[in-house]
Amino acid sequence: MAVPRYCPSCLSLAFATSTIFRAAPRRPALLPLPPPQNQQPIQLRPASTNALKYRRKDPAAAQRRKKARSTYLAPDLKNVVQFSLVDAMRYLRASEVGRPPTSSKYELDVRLRTAKNGAVVRNRLRLPHPVKTDLRICVIAPSDSPQGLAATAAGAAIVGEEEVFQAIRDETMKFDRCLCHTDSLPALTKANLGRMLGPKGLMPSVKTNTVVKDVAAAVREMAGASEYRERMGVVRMAIGQLGFTAEEVRRNIRAFVENVKRDMQGISDQTAKEMHEVVLSSTNGPGLSLNGTFGSADADLGDWSAAKA
Amino acid sequence: MVSLPHRMRKLQTRLLAIRLGSGAYILPKDINRIHMRFAPRIEGGHMGPRKFWHHELVRLKYHNPAISMTTDRTARAEDPAVLSVHFTSPTPTQSPDETTSGPAFADSTPAAAQPTERVSTIDMKHRTNAEILDELVRMTKAQAVEATEAEREELRSLEEQRVKGAKDSAKSLEVRARVAREKQLLEQARGELAADAV
């Protein structure tokens, strides 16, 4: 520890050797004042009006007038510790151990090099492996018909006709949305389920576009597209659930990053934007900067990344 | 994070805490799954399991990512707190589960890639996380992970910087407080001057 030096000009102790603490910029010399224990107000000679007119302006104001930055900070990445996707996921999965695999999410932050007052990137995207899939969709169609099978393949929670009607009447079935195939509509109206589903807003009807011909496409559409927008120079979006394998996360990341790149090109005539850094993090985990590679640097663990957490 | 060095320092501290510390063990290859069942609140002796989950299990998961580790926090306070280790015979090739694109349901029973041959349990109730870890290590004959020279060096330098930073922060606070006080006095003086001149 260096011996602290007393700097008379700024009436403070100056530390020259500390590497982390950078001393505040030296302020211009302040008037020598009596020590603060003096209780009486400071008595100075009343100055002439001329002196007041030409008095030096507050020195701090001169410093305050320095120009604000016009772009967001983009620090040099050569000092950043970066990880491959698999290495990053290993840390994140460890941080999230024991949590339900659909509740913890991975999040991707794409940091851009951009001006502060320009246009922002804003769009919707349907990921190859959607993140928010807890929407339970019920489809009224014969479960063995091609439409019914396609609906199950598209991710509907419950598919069927008579058994579904019975389950709704018994109140054993719980779902968030309900779709109906056009051919099954007469059966549905005959089953008289309006009293059960109507108040919940789940009754399929032509008006709400819940009576459809192509059920599989409707189920996929309903599962929803995730929206993203750029805030303060960063585009953030949930990119996966904890239970996703590394391959799924990689596909999602690729789709998202390519989409963002396309959006940036689209507005490049208004504002120039560049991707600076990509950071993966999770609900309870640290944020890890990705270096763009997939495989692990440490090869002797074997292929664990295909396991579902 | 304000600056890159600050961010990197915090990150490295956290990552080293995940890699090293109590619970950093490599488990043998014949373990398939570890499952914990305990209550959501600590009354009734469930603090040990909870601490184990937050500290030791994180490090175990980092060093053994292929072992599925799950928790079930739906037990009542009077129910037993049990840690079960599922063993199986190690096979040379493991076929990983392929993915599905359908909705995933949250549950505590993963699809095991291999059949479980035997299950050993540890009673966790009214025990500290250190005791639970000791028993687990004894039961599974796990291998401890030692810090490498580079990691020890890094831990030392991070700790040094943290201590130094705390000291510097206290001093700079003192300096700033003094400068602010003087500025306040100056303002007061100038205010009096303006009042006198008017």
Side-chain angles (χ1 to χ4, degrees):
Chain A
M1 280 297 291
V3 173
R5 292 181 289 115
Y6 185 84
C7 162
S9 67
C10 49
L11 290 170
S12 60
L13 295 171
F15 299 92
T17 55
S18 165
T19 49
I20 298 166
F21 169 66
R22 295 264 173 264
R26 296 280 173 86
R27 298 211 163 71
L30 301 174
L31 298 173
L33 291 173
Q37 290 89 16
N38 195 355
Q39 291 303 322
Q40 299 150 3
I42 296 168
Q43 301 290 340
L44 293 174
R45 193 167 40 87
S48 61
T49 44
N50 216 24
L52 273 179
K53 183 176 159 197
Y54 289 112
R55 75 174 182 278
R56 195 178 302 159
K57 286 198 170 55
D58 187 356
Q63 283 204 316
R64 240 180 280 131
R65 244 181 281 116
K66 63 186 174 199
K67 237 168 51 155
R69 260 180 239 112
S70 69
T71 63
Y72 291 108
L73 274 178
D76 194 353
L77 286 184
K78 68 169 159 39
N79 296 323
V80 154
V81 178
Q82 295 198 309
F83 300 85
S84 70
L85 180 61
V86 162
D87 287 337
M89 279 180 67
R90 189 175 169 193
Y91 279 112
L92 294 176
R93 277 204 186 165
S95 309
E96 304 270 358
V97 71
R99 312 245 178 205
T102 52
S103 100
S104 296
K105 312 276 194 298
Y106 291 111
E107 181 194 326
L108 201 75
D109 300 352
V110 177
R111 208 163 161 186
L112 306 177
R113 206 175 295 141
T114 170
K116 283 188 184 179
N117 53 2
V120 285
V121 169
R122 222 190 140 159
N123 208 345
R124 305 186 89 202
L125 165 71
R126 191 169 305 121
L127 290 169
H129 305 277
V131 176
K132 204 161 180 61
T133 54
D134 51 358
L135 214 60
R136 284 177 67 92
I137 305 178
C138 165
V139 173
I140 314 271
S143 41
D144 44 355
S145 74
Q147 287 289 333
L149 293 168
T152 339
I158 314 150
V159 179
E161 253 193 8
E162 266 314 316
E163 58 270 24
V164 175
F165 296 158
Q166 193 54 45
I168 294 175
R169 273 189 221 106
D170 296 340
E171 295 182 4
T172 51
M173 206 73 86
K174 284 199 176 21
F175 46 84
D176 302 306
R177 307 281 163 88
C178 189
L179 289 172
C180 181
H181 188 50
T182 358
D183 297 341
S184 312
L185 189 57
L188 178 65
T189 33
K190 203 153 54 112
N192 234 345
L193 292 168
R195 204 156 302 163
M196 308 225 73
L197 299 177
K200 292 190 207 150
L202 291 171
M203 184 74 183
S205 77
V206 183
K207 196 167 60 148
T208 57
N209 288 335
T210 37
V211 176
V212 286
K213 266 203 143 357
D214 185 1
V215 203
V219 169
R220 265 193 292 269
E221 176 106 58
M222 225 176 219
S226 23
E227 186 187 62
Y228 60 86
R229 84 186 281 180
E230 178 194 337
R231 285 190 174 85
M232 303 279 287
V234 187
V235 185
R236 296 185 174 91
M237 197 171 86
I239 204 90
Q241 293 177 3
L242 181 65
F244 283 11
T245 65
E247 260 308 320
E248 293 175 315
V249 175
R250 171 211 232 175
R251 275 184 228 129
N252 277 1
I253 290 180
R254 199 168 274 176
F256 178 56
V257 165
E258 276 168 12
N259 227 291
V260 170
K261 276 202 186 124
R262 231 175 295 138
D263 291 338
M264 289 197 302
Q265 276 172 357
I267 57 173
S268 62
D269 47 347
Q270 299 163 38
T271 13
K273 285 190 193 288
E274 252 178 31
M275 258 204 278
H276 179 67
E277 193 187 2
V278 173
V279 178
L280 181 72
S281 93
S282 72
T283 311
N284 301 92
L288 300 159
S289 186
L290 297 180
N291 63 10
T293 62
F294 176 77
S296 173
D298 165 23
D300 52 286
L301 269 186
D303 185 26
W304 58 267
S305 59
K308 272 182 166 280
Chain B
M1 294 291 133
V2 178
S3 69
L4 205 61
H6 184 58
R7 179 178 143 201
M8 285 299 114
R9 240 174 269 141
K10 279 203 100 152
L11 178 70
Q12 290 289 39
T13 318
R14 179 133 186 215
L15 296 186
L16 277 166
I18 292 180
R19 286 210 298 271
L20 306 170
S22 144
Y25 283 91
I26 296 183
L27 298 170
K29 296 260 185 298
D30 57 351
I31 294 184
N32 196 12
R33 179 188 173 197
I34 293 181
H35 182 67
M36 295 175 66
R37 186 178 147 82
F38 55 98
R41 293 163 60 112
I42 61 173
E43 284 95 359
H46 295 270
M47 190 179 81
R50 192 152 109 155
K51 295 277 183 196
F52 186 86
W53 167 39
H54 281 304
H55 300 136
E56 277 76 20
L57 202 64
V58 170
R59 294 178 183 118
L60 281 171
K61 180 72 181 180
Y62 176 76
H63 290 287
N64 310 278
I67 299 179
S68 156
M69 303 185 185
T70 52
T71 56
D72 173 19
R73 287 173 69 215
T74 58
R76 289 169 308 180
E78 55 270 10
D79 290 346
V82 170
L83 187 151
S84 51
V85 183
H86 300 239
F87 291 89
T88 183
S89 52
T91 55
T93 51
Q94 295 192 24
S95 54
D97 282 327
E98 272 317 309
T99 67
T100 60
S101 57
F105 297 104
D107 59 13
S108 52
T109 56
Q114 297 165 325
T116 300
E117 278 190 354
R118 66 184 171 96
V119 180
S120 311
T121 57
I122 298 177
D123 176 31
M124 301 190 288
K125 219 170 180 196
H126 296 290
R127 299 173 75 175
T128 64
N129 51 344
E131 288 170 17
I132 299 171
L133 178 71
D134 283 340
E135 180 155 350
L136 180 69
V137 167
R138 251 202 317 269
M139 180 203 285
T140 57
K141 303 191 205 350
Q143 213 184 348
V145 170
E146 294 300 322
T148 65
E149 191 49 51
E151 285 173 343
R152 267 196 287 266
E153 187 56 50
E154 198 160 358
L155 273 171
R156 251 199 305 269
S157 84
L158 283 170
E159 182 59 30
E160 229 176 72
Q161 282 169 348
R162 197 185 61 82
V163 165
K164 212 169 165 195
K167 249 188 265 184
D168 289 340
S169 170
K171 282 188 184 134
S172 88
L173 192 68
E174 206 181 306
V175 167
R176 281 205 307 273
R178 200 180 322 165
V179 167
R181 174 106 182 94
E182 281 155 5
K183 192 170 167 189
Q184 186 191 32
L185 287 172
L186 195 62
E187 284 300 316
Q188 190 185 15
R190 210 171 272 130
E192 296 227 348
L193 198 65
D196 287 344
V198 164

